[in-house]
Amino acid sequence: MWKRIKKHLKNKITPEKFLLLLLIITSAYFRFYNLDWDMGNLFHPDERNIANAVTKIQFFSQLNPGFFAYGGLSIYLYRLTGDILQFIAQDPQWTMSWGHINVIGRFFSAFFSTMTLIPLYFLGKKIAGEKVSLLACTFFTFTVSSIQTAHYAVTESFITLVIVSICAVTLNIKKHNVFNSFLIGALLGIGAAAKTTSVSFIIVPAIAYLPYLFHLRKNLLKFGYLFFTILIAFIFFTSLSPYTYLDSQKFLESMRYEQG
């Protein structure tokens, strides 16, 4: 029995995968280290705005964040996590203290940044082979801007994970099916629900489908998958950031301000 398990592990855990695991652990160390770096002093303006929006949410009586520079998804995620921690610790600061909310957001930011290595590995492997893929993962692990951003309770780490994942799935365009189209659509919708500018990520699957335009009649099904992707993205975006529509006037005011 033990010999069989040992043989199975030997076949599964290659030196390359072991190196990837080491990179994930190293990445996690750098990104999770000292998440309370400001000791609750709230130096980051976007963190303050997000934390303020989180304190206004009350499931399910009050879901309007009233803040649209970022999407509703991260605000709901931080609030839900805060509610769970408040219930476990019996400490209301997890939903009311901006410093505590920032730590929650930074935890997720560090987690998403670390998890980006997984789709990055598969993306690099598909494009240029395993050695180049591991080199890319090594660069990402030690990228200072990525480590820094992982220490902020903002969405940049999350949408980086989303776009790399979309690229990794879209790259296999020839084998696209309903599941892949659903996955890309879900990623697009989730990304846009975290930050509205992520709508631009639609350009990745759209460009991937361009070669099929030259033989449109033969490839109508491929374009059916593209429209299915867009539909799924719309459903996820609407479900996870509903007040983009329900409070559209405030959303548009926010977008005009950001554009300015």
Side-chain angles (χ1 to χ4, degrees), residues 209-229:
Y209 281 105
L210 275 181
Y212 297 101
L213 275 174
F214 298 104
H215 302 284
L216 186 58
R217 290 184 180 180
K218 293 181 181 179
N219 297 294
L220 280 175
L221 184 59
K222 293 284 184 184
F223 287 94
Y225 287 147
L226 178 60
F227 288 117
F228 178 66
T229 293

Side-chain angles (χ1 to χ4, degrees), residues 57-176:
I57 299 299
Q58 189 69 46
F59 291 109
F60 287 91
S61 57
Q62 207 302 99
L63 294 175
N64 187 353
F67 173 64
F68 297 100
Y70 291 89
L73 175 59
S74 54
I75 294 169
Y76 297 146
L77 177 63
Y78 299 170
R79 178 67 194 210
L80 178 61
T81 306
D83 283 339
I84 293 170
L85 290 173
Q86 178 179 318
F87 176 77
I88 294 171
Q90 293 298 302
D91 184 357
Q93 289 192 89
W94 287 110
T95 56
M96 298 310 297
S97 165
W98 290 5
H100 281 63
I101 293 168
N102 280 345
V103 170
I104 292 172
R106 291 168 188 173
F107 172 87
F108 281 111
S109 193
F111 174 75
F112 293 136
S113 184
T114 302
M115 288 299 101
T116 302
L117 283 169
I118 296 173
L120 181 62
Y121 168 77
F122 288 107
L123 178 62
K125 186 178 178 181
K126 182 73 176 178
I127 293 172
E130 197 153 36
K131 289 181 180 178
V132 174
S133 173
L134 289 169
L135 183 62
C137 289
T138 303
F139 284 144
F140 182 80
T141 296
F142 296 100
T143 297
V144 175
S145 59
S146 174
I147 296 168
Q148 181 187 39
T149 305
H151 283 76
Y152 299 147
V154 292
T155 60
E156 276 69 20
S157 293
F158 178 63
I159 62 176
T160 300
L161 170 61
V162 168
I163 187 58
V164 174
S165 299
I166 288 172
C167 289
V169 179
T170 304
L171 200 63
N172 202 16
I173 194 76
K174 290 182 179 178
K175 295 182 180 179
H176 260 208

Side-chain angles (χ1 to χ4, degrees), residues 178-198:
V178 173
F179 176 75
N180 282 351
S181 300
F182 177 88
L183 184 57
I184 294 172
L187 287 166
L188 281 168
I190 291 168
K195 195 168 187 178
T196 312
T197 51
S198 300

